[in-house]
Each structure stands twice: as structure tokens, then as C-alpha cells.
Amino acid sequence: MMEASLTTVLFLACCFVPAFGDDSPFVTTSQGRIVGTTLQFRPEGRPELHGAVDAYLGIPYAEPPVGPLRLRPPVAKSWSGELQATKPGNPCPQPKMNWGKLTQISSLVEDCLVLDVFVPQQVPSGAAVLVFIHGGGYFMGQGTFKEFSPATTAAIGDVILVTMNYRLGALGFLSTGDDVIPGNFGLLDQQLALKWIRDNIQAFGGDPERVAIFGESAGSASVNHQMLSPGSAGLFRGAIMESGNVHSPWATIETEKARKIAFALGKLLGCERDTSEELLECLQKVEDIDYIIKSQQEGLAKEFGDAILLVPVVDGNFLPSPPAELYAKSAINDAVSIIGSNADEGNLWFTMLFPDISDEAPFINSTTYEAFGPIFESMISTEHIVTDAVKLMYTDPTCIDGPGCNYVEAISQMIGDFWFACPADKTARAYTQAGRKVYRYFMTHDPTTKISGPSWLKANHEEELPFVFGLPLVGLPSDDYPTTEDEVRMSIQTIKYWSNLAKTGNPNLSSLDAELTDEEIKTEWPLFTVEGLEYKDLTPDMLNGRGIKARECRFWNEFVPQLIKTAEDAKKCKESGSRWTQDGSSESETCTKDKCPEVPEK
């Protein structure tokens, strides 16, 4: 409880001032009365933006997932009477891992399935609703950070904003690949929270028919998963994906591997068992949550060589089929989407590789680049011809293998395209071909102050969040946050775009009968089309462009899969003495080993 109280103090710091007195705000839901607290929004030097936001914090939407409810789908919370919702709830169990200027509060409390609701006092009746799904690699994070006050977005956007906590790590995403521990519990938590919003948001003045969900990183991929889940149909009409979706290589895992991970974790926790049923029974009795967290972060990473292993799977329920199959069938929930990423997100890889990252950019020479080869192969392909093609695509042809050649930018752009930009391109095309409206963005602005670390990281992963949550207007509660007037304007416009999607289904319009000014028409955000590849460049000028990484994304989404298949087929041919055709059949009578295509060896 001490941590929660400290969070409240820091959360209310800066330009939000709590209003004390006997006139605390309250709403009456079908379950009972919810009492909140009022925050006075007073950004310095901007009296035209002053207002008040009522905050309802730590509202439980599901029963504590403990005992027999651990590693099971969430159960809606039943309560009655009066709920004091004036303090944040517990973050879900996670390790303590700071990310730049963001502070993760470690937690070992499973009673964490709560949400926060922020309601501007001047918001109109039947207000639009934005729902935030946090990121953190599916193993850390919380709905409301003390550095990012959702009340700012609510006040500037004139919308109700809701954040949520969902189960993380093994407790949220462990899967045995069957009906015993099917996995995706964190996604089901999100879905249940969305159902709670549908059933209760009118009590706060919101319109359940005007809900848009938005997320960043793993939260963005979660939004994408909600778009593909039949159980989420009708729960929202807008979906904003910031840097992550189901095609990101870290966002899903094969069922067979997930099962191996589940039994490996069981062994680490003293639950070495033969069947899924026996494993579940043992894991539900493990009392040391800290041991679970350490085992999943350290033990599994050591055994499998990856820190992000506990992620969504195709479970046949929440996600009925592989995403590619759902895309092919246009089995996509009906919502208007904003899909984007940032220009320098590959720098995230350096912050992960070097936790104590320097204020100066690293120098990666050719020898170090080659030493990273096994890492790249594990991420992309073990076929050397593929990693050679990637190197050819991204390295500077005028500076190859020389002592003064720095491969930092090449690695950054390669990782950023592979992890974020090109999966976003694939999803945007699939949505459009399924008849869904899509708006695309690419943030190229280099923020004056980075939330993720040193200045050389530029438009790194997560750097759009300060603009979405209005940080240039309010700063940080404990650190200086130098910014510019242009960035204040950029933040206000970004919030309006996001809020307008919830209000009208069009980021350009705040109401259906609104008309754009001549100035707005010049930079109106155009719909994405496969022919035009239109997008909005997130900068203070908010200009439009065409073709986000178009050449690179054809390379990743079309050429690389073909190259991998060709290399694999060539090996099969060598091994069997047969020619392998495009459909996987063999023509042994027309092929001998000496006629198989050659694949260069390293």
C-alpha cells in the first residue's frame, strides 16, 4: 500500500492539483456507487486550457486471479455498495525494470485487475471514450504511469479516458497449447475490461457506441489481437496501433514452443509434471510470486535465449486461427484504424542490449557487426543467404568493412523495419483489402527531450507517447522536461487526432457536422490506400507523405519470405534428390542432386 500511496502523490503532481472537500465526485453503476477524486488541470501559462478532471482509480473489473482462478480466464468482479476509487490499484506482478525516464513499480500482488476512468467535468453527455492498453513486452507495465497522466489527454481531447491493468508474464500468457492452460489470459483480461466499459461507461457520461482503443508496443499488438478476436466484435469502433501488431516477430509464439516453455517453467518452479492437468494443479499452488517472476525472466531466458517468450498464441478461442489466415478471410472486426511507428525504433535494440546505455551513441565496427550474426540469425533466419541479403540491403555500399564504418544506423533501421514499420505495412494493407478504413502515420520528429534515454536515440520506440499524453504541456513530476512551443502544438494536435477517431471515426473531424478550415484542409490526414500508401508525418508541421519505407517493406514482406522458402527448398532437394515445387510436392523423377539449386554457404 505504501507504493500505491507514493504513486498517487507523484501522479497528482505537476499541473494537476487534487481538490479536497466533501463534494467528491461519484457515479452510480448497476453494482453500486463509485466515489472518485477531482484533479484541477492547470498547465502553466495556458489559462485557456484550465479545467477539472474527475478521476476514478483502481476500479476492479475482475475477481482476483488467485488459487483456482490462476491461469484461467478472468471472472467478472461482483460487488455492491460503495467503492472508494481514489487511489490507484496494484500493478500486476512484474519485475522492476526502469525504461528511460519511466518508472516501473514492481509488484507481486495478483489482485491487480483494475481500471482507471478520467472524466473531464465539462465533457458533453454521451462523450466519446478512449481506452489505453499499455505496452511492456507482455511482462511489465501498468495502465496509468505516474509520468503520463491520462487526465491531460482527457482534458485536451474532451473525451473520457480509461486505462487498465491486465495479467503479465507467465500469469498472463503461459500456455500448454491445449484447453488446460490455453494462454492469452492477459488478452482475455483486456476483453473483459472492454465489456465492463461497454456496460458501465454511460454512468460516467460516456457513449458505449463511441469507443476507440489505443495501445503502444505490446499494447499495440494487443489492440491488433482484439481486432481479430470474435469475442471483441462490437466493443469498439476505433483502433489505434502505435508500434506493434500481430506480425511483429515478438508478438506471438508457436503453440508447440509455448508448450515447451510452460513445462520448462514448471520444472524451474518445482512443478515438473507429465501432463497439462498436473502442471496446472501444481502451478496454482505456488505461493512465491517473486520466484515465478524471477524464473520467467532469468531461467527461461537462459534456457531459450530470449527475454520475450510469454506472449499470445493461437488458442482456438480468443484467437481462432493464425492471423494470416484471419486476414486472408477478412475476419477482422469492424473498426477504423490508425496504424503507425517511429523513424528510429530500432534503437530500442541497443537499449535492450546495453542496459547501461551511454549518453554517446555506440560505435559498431564490422567485426562487432559480424559478431552479432548469431543474434540476427535467431531473429530473422538461420539461412546465411537471408542475413547476407539483409546486410546488403541496409549497409552503406560506400563504406563496407572499413575501420571507420559505423553500423549503428544500419542495425537501427534494419531492426525498426523488421519489428515495427513493415509489420505495420502488412497489417494496414490487410485491413484495407478487407474493406476497413485505415489512417497511417510515421513519427520522424526528434523530440527535444527523450523519454527513452539519451538524445542520440532520436525518434525511438515509445517516443510518441509523450505527445499522446500531453507531456510537453505539463512536464514530468520529478525531472526537467525541456520542450518547445512547436512540440506543445504537436502534442495538442496528436491528442485531437486520437480523440477525433473516437468521436467521429475520422481523425480530422471532432464532430460529424464539423467543417475543416482552409488551413486544416491543406494538411488533412488522408485515408491510406494500397495504391497511394498515404500517411501523416508526425511532426509539428503534420505534413502528409506517401510510402512509409515502401522499398524496405517489399523486401521484408515479399522478398525475404520467398528467399527463405527457396533456401529451404534447395536443402530439401539436396537431402532427397528431388525437386521441390512451389506447393511443396516433389518431382523426384525429374530431379537429381546435381540439378538442385545451389545455396551459398557462409
Side-chain angles (χ1 to χ4, degrees):
M1 291 301 294
M2 183 177 295
E3 285 184 335
S5 298
L6 176 60
T7 303
T8 304
V9 172
L10 293 173
F11 170 71
L12 297 178
C14 195
C15 67
F16 282 96
V17 181
F20 299 101
D22 296 329
D23 54 348
S24 296
F26 69 90
V27 298
T28 302
T29 69
S30 59
Q31 291 179 293
R33 175 176 157 127
I34 303 176
V35 179
T37 186
T38 297
L39 311 177
Q40 296 294 336
F41 179 53
R42 297 173 181 170
E44 185 177 353
R46 297 186 176 276
E48 75 280 6
L49 298 179
H50 287 190
V53 177
D54 293 335
Y56 302 87
L57 310 174
I59 303 172
Y61 65 86
E63 295 290 343
V66 298
L69 295 184
R70 181 188 286 175
L71 299 176
R72 305 304 300 156
V75 175
K77 177 72 174 180
S78 176
W79 64 274
S80 61
E82 182 173 282
L83 178 70
Q84 291 292 321
T86 58
K87 295 181 179 180
N90 299 306
C92 286
Q94 61 189 280
K96 182 170 179 64
M97 296 181 67
N98 289 345
W99 166 249
K101 291 182 172 65
L102 296 184
T103 303
Q104 292 286 157
I105 296 180
S106 60
S107 174
L108 301 176
V109 181
E110 290 182 87
D111 185 2
C112 63
L113 300 184
V114 298
L115 50 79
D116 300 336
V117 183
F118 300 85
V119 186
Q121 288 189 349
Q122 300 302 315
V123 77
S125 176
V129 184
L130 276 174
V131 182
F132 179 58
I133 303 177
H134 71 78
Y138 298 111
F139 69 88
M140 66 179 189
Q142 58 206 73
T144 301
F145 279 92
K146 65 174 181 283
E147 288 90 355
F148 291 149
S149 173
T152 307
T153 306
I156 299 299
D158 198 28
V159 292
I160 295 173
L161 198 146
V162 185
T163 67
M164 68 176 76
N165 293 346
Y166 58 93
R167 280 175 284 180
L168 304 166
L171 299 173
F173 294 95
L174 195 75
S175 173
T176 52
D178 51 32
D179 292 337
V180 180
I181 308 179
N184 294 342
F185 306 115
L187 296 177
L188 289 166
D189 293 343
Q190 297 168 13
Q191 192 176 84
L192 183 60
L194 290 172
K195 291 177 179 178
W196 187 97
I197 293 166
R198 176 197 62 194
D199 297 339
N200 293 279
I201 203 64
Q202 283 182 297
F204 298 85
D207 183 351
E209 300 296 324
R210 294 204 296 162
V211 174
I213 60 177
F214 72 108
E216 185 270 339
S217 195
S220 175
S222 295
V223 169
N224 196 175
H225 280 105
Q226 300 296 341
M227 282 286 288
L228 298 178
S229 179
S232 297
L235 296 178
F236 52 88
R237 73 169 189 173
I240 303 172
M241 287 161 255
E242 304 171 27
S243 308
N245 64 77
V246 294
H247 285 299
S248 297
W250 44 264
T252 55
I253 194 169
E254 295 179 354
T255 303
E256 183 177 344
K257 185 175 182 180
R259 183 173 177 84
K260 291 179 181 179
I261 291 168
F263 280 90
L265 181 64
K267 183 177 181 180
L268 290 170
L269 295 173
C271 290
E272 187 172 7
R273 299 292 188 271
D274 295 327
T275 68
S276 299
E277 289 83 359
E278 293 171 337
L279 178 63
L280 174 62
E281 182 181 3
C282 184
L283 291 177
Q284 287 180 335
K285 295 177 181 178
V286 175
E287 296 182 356
D288 191 344
I289 303 300
D290 186 43
Y291 192 36
I292 295 177
I293 299 300
K294 289 180 179 178
S295 296
Q296 75 179 31
Q297 294 305 119
E298 300 170 9
L300 291 181
K302 183 178 180 180
E303 182 167 347
F304 291 91
D306 196 341
I308 302 179
L309 295 165
L310 297 159
V311 300
V313 296
V314 177
D315 61 354
N317 175 30
F318 178 90
L319 198 62
S321 303
E325 293 182 13
L326 296 173
Y327 282 167
K329 296 186 295 185
S330 297
I332 302 167
N333 289 329
D334 189 12
V336 181
S337 298
I338 292 175
I339 304 174
S341 58
N342 301 341
D344 303 287
E345 291 198 269
N347 284 331
L348 168 68
W349 189 74
F350 294 109
T351 65
M352 296 169 61
L353 195 65
F354 308 111
D356 299 323
I357 197 161
S358 170
D359 287 340
E360 295 184 5
F363 186 92
I364 306 296
N365 60 24
S366 60
T367 301
T368 305
Y369 180 92
E370 293 299 331
F372 289 149
I375 300 177
F376 297 152
E377 289 178 5
S378 68
M379 288 193 299
I380 302 168
S381 172
T382 56
E383 301 293 344
H384 297 307
I385 193 172
V386 176
T387 50
D388 286 346
V390 171
K391 182 178 180 181
L392 180 64
M393 179 72 178
Y394 283 92
T395 52
D396 182 356
T398 67
C399 188
I400 297 293
D401 300 334
C405 298
N406 191 349
Y407 287 78
V408 166
E409 184 65 13
I411 294 173
S412 173
Q413 292 304 311
M414 180 264 285
I415 297 290
D417 294 347
F418 179 50
W419 280 0
F420 302 107
C422 297
D425 176 80
K426 184 182 291 188
T427 292
R429 289 171 182 268
Y431 281 17
T432 302
Q433 290 165 352
R436 307 294 182 261
K437 291 182 179 180
V438 174
Y439 294 87
R440 293 221 56 201
Y441 77 83
F442 195 55
M443 177 172 152
T444 62
H445 178 67
D446 183 358
T448 302
T449 301
K450 310 294 184 295
I451 199 73
S452 60
S455 61
W456 65 268
L457 294 172
K458 297 183 287 188
N460 188 25
H461 190 60
E462 204 172 48
E463 289 298 343
E464 84 288 350
L465 279 181
F467 297 93
V468 173
F469 284 103
L471 207 55
L473 282 82
V474 301
L476 289 171
S478 57
D479 295 304
D480 291 334
Y481 189 85
T483 189
T484 67
E485 186 61 30
D486 281 346
E487 288 177 325
V488 170
R489 180 163 47 86
M490 175 181 167
S491 180
I492 292 174
Q493 184 59 64
T494 301
I495 291 172
K496 288 182 177 179
Y497 281 144
W498 268 226
S499 301
N500 286 348
L501 190 77
K503 293 175 181 178
T504 66
N506 183 334
N508 300 290
L509 297 175
S510 60
S511 64
L512 292 175
D513 57 355
E515 294 185 3
L516 297 177
T517 65
D518 291 341
E519 188 62 29
E520 289 172 332
I521 291 174
K522 292 179 183 178
T523 57
E524 180 181 2
W525 193 341
L527 268 173
F528 171 85
T529 64
V530 174
E531 297 76 23
L533 303 178
E534 299 87 347
Y535 73 92
K536 174 68 66 179
D537 187 1
L538 284 195
T539 68
D541 292 331
M542 293 293 182
L543 300 179
N544 298 325
R546 292 185 59 190
I548 300 171
K549 294 298 192 80
R551 179 169 175 266
E552 292 85 347
C553 290
R554 287 199 67 183
F555 173 78
W556 284 110
N557 296 338
E558 299 177 26
F559 178 72
V560 168
Q562 293 175 3
L563 186 60
I564 291 174
K565 186 179 187 307
T566 299
E568 291 175 345
D569 287 352
K571 286 186 176 181
K572 290 178 182 178
C573 181
K574 284 289 187 182
E575 293 169 356
S576 66
S578 301
R579 177 185 298 140
W580 288 80
T581 61
Q582 289 289 334
D583 62 2
S585 62
S586 63
E587 300 175 349
S588 57
E589 70 278 3
T590 62
C591 179
T592 60
K593 288 185 180 181
D594 61 345
K595 292 183 180 180
C596 293
E598 292 292 334
V599 178
E601 297 292 337
K602 196 71 172 177

